[in-house]
């Protein structure tokens, strides 16, 4: 219990730095702006056609595709670019606790901060839905129109029919939230390890990680290589398995009639990847050379 308390105190010390860190406030401000820009298309459509939405639908439609998840995950670079945090309190921590416990506190902070940011994104979309939303666990007429007609494609809203037919709003939201969160934790764990290994390499690694996911988007590959419809289906399956960003995309999963990965496979993939990188970080911290803030002239 004493070790757990130490880990918790290290994590909370990182959260206390948020109050005076403009980088953190910028990340949340940009997150809200992204939510507004991506959900506004759905809400404007509902207003123009005098329909209402299920309160979770703006979140589901706007963050149910790879591009939106990529944009949100990039904002986490602002939160974790300087991981591990080496503030003036760190020397005191290292005198009283060992390096491993201190790093576990950093990892706890990373996970809690990611979950907090995802909750903020979800809450923002619910607030933006405003008075035109209801809370029942049923898809709205707006969702049906966007999903079963070409209107959704025209306004660039990712309303997919198999999502409507095979899930309900709350279940769908939980999976999208979980996939986004686990994808973000994996990226943050990569940033942490690269910063421990190569100084400030975490930012570059995070950008490369996100860029790889974007390049492995089946639609992007199909346009570049001018693939036929049959080749698109094959590419969709291949890149659905090898791309972390596609693993984070809800509709890019097997719902019973294709060869894409199942949801539990993606959850395990992200969990094992994050644990592996956390393990590497714990191993690396043994010989890490600390360079504390405020010690250089």
């Amino acid at each position: 219990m004493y070790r757990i308390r130490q880990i918790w105190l290290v994590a909370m010390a990182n959260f206390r730095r948020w109050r005076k860190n403009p980088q953190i406030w910028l990340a949340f401000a940009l997150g809200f702006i992204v939510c507004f820009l991506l959900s506004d298309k759905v809400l404007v459509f509902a207003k123009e056609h005098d329909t209402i939405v299920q309160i979770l639908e703006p979140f589901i439609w706007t963050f149910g595709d790879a591009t939106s998840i990529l944009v949100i995950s990039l904002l986490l670079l602002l939160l974790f670019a300087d991981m591990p945090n080496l503030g003036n309190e760190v020397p005191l921590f290292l005198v009283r606790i060992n390096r491993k416990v201190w790093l576990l506190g950093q990892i706890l902070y990373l996970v809690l901060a990611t979950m907090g940011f995802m909750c903020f994104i979800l809450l923002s979309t619910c607030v933006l839905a405003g008075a035109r939303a209801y809370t029942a666990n049923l898809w709205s007429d707006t969702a049906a129109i966007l999903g079963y007609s070409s209107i959704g494609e025209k306004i660039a809203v990712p309303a997919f029919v198999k999502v409507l037919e095979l899930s309900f709003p709350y279940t769908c939201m939980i999976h999208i939230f979980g996939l986004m969160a686990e994808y973000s934790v994996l990226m943050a764990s990569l940033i942490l390890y690269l910063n421990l290994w190569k100084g400030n390499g975490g930012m570059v690694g995070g950008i490369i990680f996100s860029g790889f996911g974007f390049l492995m988007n089946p639609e992007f590959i199909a346009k570049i290589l001018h693939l036929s419809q049959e080749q698109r289906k094959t590419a969709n399956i291949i890149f659905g398995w090898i791309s972390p960003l596609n693993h984070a995309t809800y509709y890019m999963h097997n719902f019973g009639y294709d060869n894409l990965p199942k949801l539990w496979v993606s959850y395990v993939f992200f969990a094992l990847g994050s644990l592996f990188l956390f393990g590497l970080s714990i191993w690396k911290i043994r010989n890490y050379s600390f360079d504390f803030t405020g010690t250089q002239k």
Side-chain angles (χ1 to χ4, degrees):
M1 290 300 295
Y2 180 66
R3 293 296 187 192
I4 294 176
R5 182 173 179 273
Q6 289 179 327
I7 293 171
W8 179 260
L9 289 175
V10 172
M12 291 304 103
N14 287 339
F15 280 112
R16 284 194 292 271
R17 300 179 63 196
W18 281 22
R19 292 175 296 177
K20 299 180 180 180
N21 192 337
Q23 190 171 298
I24 300 297
W25 292 103
L26 178 61
F28 279 90
L30 290 176
F32 185 82
I33 292 172
V34 169
C35 290
F36 173 77
L37 293 175
L38 294 177
S39 63
D40 186 59
K41 295 174 292 187
V42 177
L43 300 176
V44 168
F45 175 85
K47 184 177 180 180
E48 290 177 348
H49 293 77
D50 196 27
T51 58
I52 58 176
V53 298
Q54 208 279 345
I55 194 168
L56 299 175
E57 284 177 358
F59 176 81
I60 292 169
W61 297 143
T62 54
F63 298 109
D65 73 328
T67 303
S68 301
I69 295 173
L70 176 62
V71 171
I72 288 298
S73 64
L74 286 175
L75 295 178
L76 290 173
L77 292 175
L78 293 173
L79 290 181
F80 303 128
D82 59 347
M83 288 293 290
N85 293 322
L86 298 179
N88 295 327
E89 76 283 352
V90 175
L92 176 61
F93 277 125
L94 293 177
V95 169
R96 303 176 67 90
I97 61 179
N98 61 48
R99 292 183 173 208
K100 181 179 178 180
V101 171
W102 176 80
L103 185 63
L104 288 173
Q106 300 293 321
I107 292 173
L108 177 61
Y109 160 75
L110 183 151
V111 173
L112 292 178
T114 301
M115 296 302 294
F117 188 76
M118 292 299 110
C119 288
F120 172 79
I121 295 298
L122 174 60
L123 180 62
S124 295
T125 57
C126 292
V127 170
L128 290 170
R132 303 195 66 85
Y134 63 90
T135 58
N137 193 25
L138 295 170
W139 298 112
S140 67
D141 292 340
T142 305
I145 295 171
L146 294 175
Y148 289 96
S149 71
S150 61
I151 300 176
E153 295 182 4
K154 290 180 180 179
I155 65 174
V157 174
F160 300 99
V161 174
K162 70 179 183 180
V163 173
L164 291 172
E165 293 179 342
L166 300 174
S167 64
F168 289 96
Y170 283 95
T171 302
C172 186
M173 179 276 294
I174 290 172
H175 283 304
I176 291 176
F177 183 95
L179 292 170
M180 286 179 61
E182 286 208 7
Y183 173 80
S184 300
V185 169
L186 178 61
M187 185 179 73
S189 65
L190 176 64
I191 293 172
L192 174 64
Y193 172 68
L194 291 178
N195 279 342
L196 290 173
W197 180 43
K198 288 291 185 181
N200 295 322
M203 178 70 78
V204 176
I207 294 173
I208 292 175
F209 177 79
S210 300
F212 173 77
F214 177 76
L215 293 176
M216 292 297 102
N217 188 314
E219 296 180 2
F220 177 78
I221 295 294
K223 290 179 181 179
I224 295 296
L225 301 180
H226 305 289
L227 301 180
S228 65
Q229 191 63 34
E230 188 63 31
Q231 290 172 326
R232 284 174 181 244
K233 292 181 180 179
T234 303
N236 194 58
I237 294 172
I238 293 174
F239 296 123
W241 278 94
I242 67 176
S243 169
L245 185 59
N246 289 327
H247 274 284
T249 306
Y250 181 65
Y251 76 91
M252 289 291 293
H253 287 86
N254 187 334
F255 291 93
Y257 54 84
D258 52 33
N259 295 316
L260 290 168
K262 294 182 180 294
L263 287 167
W264 70 265
V265 173
S266 294
Y267 287 129
V268 171
F269 169 77
F270 287 131
L272 292 179
S274 298
L275 289 175
F276 175 72
L277 288 169
F278 287 148
L280 289 178
S281 297
I282 293 172
W283 174 78
K284 191 65 180 177
I285 197 65
R286 298 180 304 170
N287 300 315
Y288 180 70
S289 179
F290 286 93
D291 185 11
F292 297 112
T293 303
T295 59
Q296 296 183 351
K297 295 183 180 180

